[in-house]
Amino acid sequence: MCICRKFERTMNKQKLAYKKLGNVSLFDNEETLDKLNSLGNPLERLSKVIDFEIFRDELEEGLYKERFTIVGAKPYDYVLMFKVLVLQRMYHLSDEQTEYQIRDRLSFRDFLGLASGDRVPDGTIWVFRKELTEKGLFDALFDKFNQHLRDNNLIMNEGIIIDGSFVEVPRQRNSREENKLIKEGKGDELWNAEEGDTEDDKKHKANKKRHKDTDARWTKKGGEKFYGYKAHAKIDAKSKLIKKCVATDASVHDSKPTKQLVDESDRGQTLHADSAYIGKGVKRVMRKYNLKDRVIKRNVRGKRISKWQETINRTNAKMRARVEHVFGYMEESMHGMHSRAVGFLRNAAQIIFTCLVYNMLRYEQIKRLGMN
């Protein structure tokens, strides 16, 4: 009996050792990917419905540089680099973490079409994003994908919803004099090298100025203070796809960019918005494009809304709330309402790109669930 127990224990140890070590085969990566896909790999689902080659023309026309020599490393493919930015935006990664995760995660490499021995983009991520920003190509890429959505009849044009959301950036620590100049639009005059400064002083001021955001602004809403920028979006009421987006600093009132958001393509539709959009400027836009007014009404000084209007407000609020789903997804799933970028140009580009990536993910969801 004792011998049998010893034999059994020996066999169990061997089984545990075998289980722990496993066997390595040529098909391990394929088997791992198959398992990931069966569990619901979001990158695999995105690749199935979106052909990223649709962006190639815009990228190559905007970024192409003629090479005068074949010496040195060849540049990365533009579509590959664009997909790297999509990964970065989806998972809210820094440049360093993006490179690390591409090297570490099989699903990332498969999404990019990279084999284990291929070069991985590193410092070029920042350079590529900078070029897209400075040349205004994020707008062109957003418009390109929206045209793809229209071609697939996913922009229903049965009503629009407009709203704004704060995009917070790291808060600055400036003196009162510095803040006064910034508010007056004279931020460029600050932290400049002066005559008599040493080289160390010049470098210190240059580094300090590089990290100072003189375009962001403070504002207060509901008793809470915000610092940064604001994303204004126009949503297709039925599909919850973003038709257009505009970036401003945080101090701009929600209703002000309405004339930039609404255009001829919205003529005759229904406009849903919260009570911040009851001003005269919004009324002029509605008259110009013959929009049906479904804006939430509120009490004003000396005049209360009727019980009937309260009932209408409740009905209209159900449709208007759909825009909160959009901003909520960008906030919770993409961390899109927080930014590490400095300056209006970079933050505006990030806001537009966040809206583009949201549209891609929403498009995949619509296709997967058969909602179109």
PDB file of all heavy atoms in Angstrom, residues 46-58:
ATOM      1  N   LEU A  46     -12.263  44.995 -35.116  1.00  0.00           N
ATOM      2  CA  LEU A  46     -12.098  46.257 -35.836  1.00  0.00           C
ATOM      3  C   LEU A  46     -11.477  46.020 -37.207  1.00  0.00           C
ATOM      4  O   LEU A  46     -11.897  46.626 -38.207  1.00  0.00           O
ATOM      5  CB  LEU A  46     -11.224  47.201 -35.004  1.00  0.00           C
ATOM      6  CG  LEU A  46     -11.189  48.674 -35.408  1.00  0.00           C
ATOM      7  CD1 LEU A  46     -12.564  49.308 -35.270  1.00  0.00           C
ATOM      8  CD2 LEU A  46     -10.178  49.437 -34.570  1.00  0.00           C
ATOM      9  N   SER A  47     -10.478  45.146 -37.274  1.00  0.00           N
ATOM     10  CA  SER A  47      -9.812  44.850 -38.543  1.00  0.00           C
ATOM     11  C   SER A  47     -10.755  44.200 -39.549  1.00  0.00           C
ATOM     12  O   SER A  47     -10.598  44.359 -40.754  1.00  0.00           O
ATOM     13  CB  SER A  47      -8.604  43.932 -38.305  1.00  0.00           C
ATOM     14  OG  SER A  47      -7.625  44.570 -37.516  1.00  0.00           O
ATOM     15  N   LYS A  48     -11.731  43.449 -39.048  1.00  0.00           N
ATOM     16  CA  LYS A  48     -12.663  42.749 -39.932  1.00  0.00           C
ATOM     17  C   LYS A  48     -13.560  43.703 -40.707  1.00  0.00           C
ATOM     18  O   LYS A  48     -13.915  43.434 -41.857  1.00  0.00           O
ATOM     19  CB  LYS A  48     -13.531  41.781 -39.117  1.00  0.00           C
ATOM     20  CG  LYS A  48     -12.921  40.400 -38.938  1.00  0.00           C
ATOM     21  CD  LYS A  48     -13.925  39.483 -38.261  1.00  0.00           C
ATOM     22  CE  LYS A  48     -13.376  38.065 -38.163  1.00  0.00           C
ATOM     23  NZ  LYS A  48     -14.355  37.153 -37.499  1.00  0.00           N
ATOM     24  N   VAL A  49     -13.941  44.815 -40.077  1.00  0.00           N
ATOM     25  CA  VAL A  49     -14.936  45.698 -40.698  1.00  0.00           C
ATOM     26  C   VAL A  49     -14.331  46.951 -41.323  1.00  0.00           C
ATOM     27  O   VAL A  49     -14.991  47.611 -42.130  1.00  0.00           O
ATOM     28  CB  VAL A  49     -16.018  46.112 -39.677  1.00  0.00           C
ATOM     29  CG1 VAL A  49     -16.767  44.900 -39.167  1.00  0.00           C
ATOM     30  CG2 VAL A  49     -15.422  46.891 -38.515  1.00  0.00           C
ATOM     31  N   ILE A  50     -13.082  47.299 -40.955  1.00  0.00           N
ATOM     32  CA  ILE A  50     -12.475  48.525 -41.491  1.00  0.00           C
ATOM     33  C   ILE A  50     -11.230  48.181 -42.292  1.00  0.00           C
ATOM     34  O   ILE A  50     -10.300  47.548 -41.779  1.00  0.00           O
ATOM     35  CB  ILE A  50     -12.102  49.508 -40.361  1.00  0.00           C
ATOM     36  CG1 ILE A  50     -13.355  49.971 -39.621  1.00  0.00           C
ATOM     37  CG2 ILE A  50     -11.362  50.721 -40.938  1.00  0.00           C
ATOM     38  CD1 ILE A  50     -13.076  50.911 -38.463  1.00  0.00           C
ATOM     39  N   ASP A  51     -11.230  48.597 -43.538  1.00  0.00           N
ATOM     40  CA  ASP A  51     -10.044  48.487 -44.374  1.00  0.00           C
ATOM     41  C   ASP A  51      -9.270  49.795 -44.242  1.00  0.00           C
ATOM     42  O   ASP A  51      -9.667  50.812 -44.813  1.00  0.00           O
ATOM     43  CB  ASP A  51     -10.444  48.236 -45.831  1.00  0.00           C
ATOM     44  CG  ASP A  51      -9.227  48.111 -46.749  1.00  0.00           C
ATOM     45  OD1 ASP A  51      -8.092  48.080 -46.224  1.00  0.00           O
ATOM     46  OD2 ASP A  51      -9.412  48.061 -47.978  1.00  0.00           O
ATOM     47  N   PHE A  52      -8.187  49.782 -43.491  1.00  0.00           N
ATOM     48  CA  PHE A  52      -7.447  51.008 -43.208  1.00  0.00           C
ATOM     49  C   PHE A  52      -6.757  51.578 -44.452  1.00  0.00           C
ATOM     50  O   PHE A  52      -6.236  52.698 -44.404  1.00  0.00           O
ATOM     51  CB  PHE A  52      -6.425  50.762 -42.097  1.00  0.00           C
ATOM     52  CG  PHE A  52      -7.037  50.708 -40.730  1.00  0.00           C
ATOM     53  CD1 PHE A  52      -7.554  49.522 -40.225  1.00  0.00           C
ATOM     54  CD2 PHE A  52      -7.136  51.850 -39.960  1.00  0.00           C
ATOM     55  CE1 PHE A  52      -8.133  49.476 -38.971  1.00  0.00           C
ATOM     56  CE2 PHE A  52      -7.708  51.821 -38.703  1.00  0.00           C
ATOM     57  CZ  PHE A  52      -8.215  50.625 -38.199  1.00  0.00           C
ATOM     58  N   GLU A  53      -6.793  50.845 -45.548  1.00  0.00           N
ATOM     59  CA  GLU A  53      -6.221  51.360 -46.798  1.00  0.00           C
ATOM     60  C   GLU A  53      -7.015  52.551 -47.338  1.00  0.00           C
ATOM     61  O   GLU A  53      -6.513  53.302 -48.175  1.00  0.00           O
ATOM     62  CB  GLU A  53      -6.170  50.256 -47.859  1.00  0.00           C
ATOM     63  CG  GLU A  53      -5.112  49.188 -47.599  1.00  0.00           C
ATOM     64  CD  GLU A  53      -3.699  49.766 -47.665  1.00  0.00           C
ATOM     65  OE1 GLU A  53      -3.422  50.566 -48.576  1.00  0.00           O
ATOM     66  OE2 GLU A  53      -2.877  49.409 -46.801  1.00  0.00           O
ATOM     67  N   ILE A  54      -8.245  52.745 -46.845  1.00  0.00           N
ATOM     68  CA  ILE A  54      -9.037  53.890 -47.310  1.00  0.00           C
ATOM     69  C   ILE A  54      -8.380  55.217 -46.929  1.00  0.00           C
ATOM     70  O   ILE A  54      -8.683  56.259 -47.507  1.00  0.00           O
ATOM     71  CB  ILE A  54     -10.481  53.847 -46.773  1.00  0.00           C
ATOM     72  CG1 ILE A  54     -10.490  53.973 -45.236  1.00  0.00           C
ATOM     73  CG2 ILE A  54     -11.200  52.585 -47.224  1.00  0.00           C
ATOM     74  CD1 ILE A  54     -11.883  54.062 -44.628  1.00  0.00           C
ATOM     75  N   PHE A  55      -7.475  55.183 -45.944  1.00  0.00           N
ATOM     76  CA  PHE A  55      -6.806  56.409 -45.504  1.00  0.00           C
ATOM     77  C   PHE A  55      -5.484  56.656 -46.236  1.00  0.00           C
ATOM     78  O   PHE A  55      -4.860  57.692 -46.025  1.00  0.00           O
ATOM     79  CB  PHE A  55      -6.517  56.343 -43.994  1.00  0.00           C
ATOM     80  CG  PHE A  55      -7.739  56.207 -43.140  1.00  0.00           C
ATOM     81  CD1 PHE A  55      -8.059  54.988 -42.551  1.00  0.00           C
ATOM     82  CD2 PHE A  55      -8.577  57.287 -42.920  1.00  0.00           C
ATOM     83  CE1 PHE A  55      -9.186  54.859 -41.750  1.00  0.00           C
ATOM     84  CE2 PHE A  55      -9.709  57.170 -42.134  1.00  0.00           C
ATOM     85  CZ  PHE A  55     -10.014  55.951 -41.547  1.00  0.00           C
ATOM     86  N   ARG A  56      -5.049  55.720 -47.070  1.00  0.00           N
ATOM     87  CA  ARG A  56      -3.709  55.819 -47.658  1.00  0.00           C
ATOM     88  C   ARG A  56      -3.547  57.072 -48.518  1.00  0.00           C
ATOM     89  O   ARG A  56      -2.521  57.757 -48.438  1.00  0.00           O
ATOM     90  CB  ARG A  56      -3.385  54.564 -48.477  1.00  0.00           C
ATOM     91  CG  ARG A  56      -1.962  54.589 -49.059  1.00  0.00           C
ATOM     92  CD  ARG A  56      -1.564  53.265 -49.668  1.00  0.00           C
ATOM     93  NE  ARG A  56      -1.460  52.217 -48.674  1.00  0.00           N
ATOM     94  CZ  ARG A  56      -0.416  52.054 -47.877  1.00  0.00           C
ATOM     95  NH1 ARG A  56       0.612  52.911 -47.928  1.00  0.00           N
ATOM     96  NH2 ARG A  56      -0.383  51.060 -47.018  1.00  0.00           N
ATOM     97  N   ASP A  57      -4.510  57.377 -49.362  1.00  0.00           N
ATOM     98  CA  ASP A  57      -4.372  58.533 -50.263  1.00  0.00           C
ATOM     99  C   ASP A  57      -4.159  59.818 -49.480  1.00  0.00           C
ATOM    100  O   ASP A  57      -3.270  60.620 -49.810  1.00  0.00           O
ATOM    101  CB  ASP A  57      -5.602  58.652 -51.158  1.00  0.00           C
ATOM    102  CG  ASP A  57      -5.651  57.555 -52.207  1.00  0.00           C
ATOM    103  OD1 ASP A  57      -4.610  56.887 -52.419  1.00  0.00           O
ATOM    104  OD2 ASP A  57      -6.724  57.345 -52.803  1.00  0.00           O
ATOM    105  N   GLU A  58      -4.986  60.047 -48.445  1.00  0.00           N
ATOM    106  CA  GLU A  58      -4.850  61.266 -47.643  1.00  0.00           C
ATOM    107  C   GLU A  58      -3.495  61.317 -46.935  1.00  0.00           C
ATOM    108  O   GLU A  58      -2.858  62.374 -46.868  1.00  0.00           O
ATOM    109  CB  GLU A  58      -5.972  61.348 -46.596  1.00  0.00           C
ATOM    110  CG  GLU A  58      -7.284  61.891 -47.110  1.00  0.00           C
ATOM    111  CD  GLU A  58      -7.965  60.946 -48.085  1.00  0.00           C
ATOM    112  OE1 GLU A  58      -7.675  59.723 -48.048  1.00  0.00           O
ATOM    113  OE2 GLU A  58      -8.783  61.416 -48.902  1.00  0.00           O
TER     114      GLU A  58
END
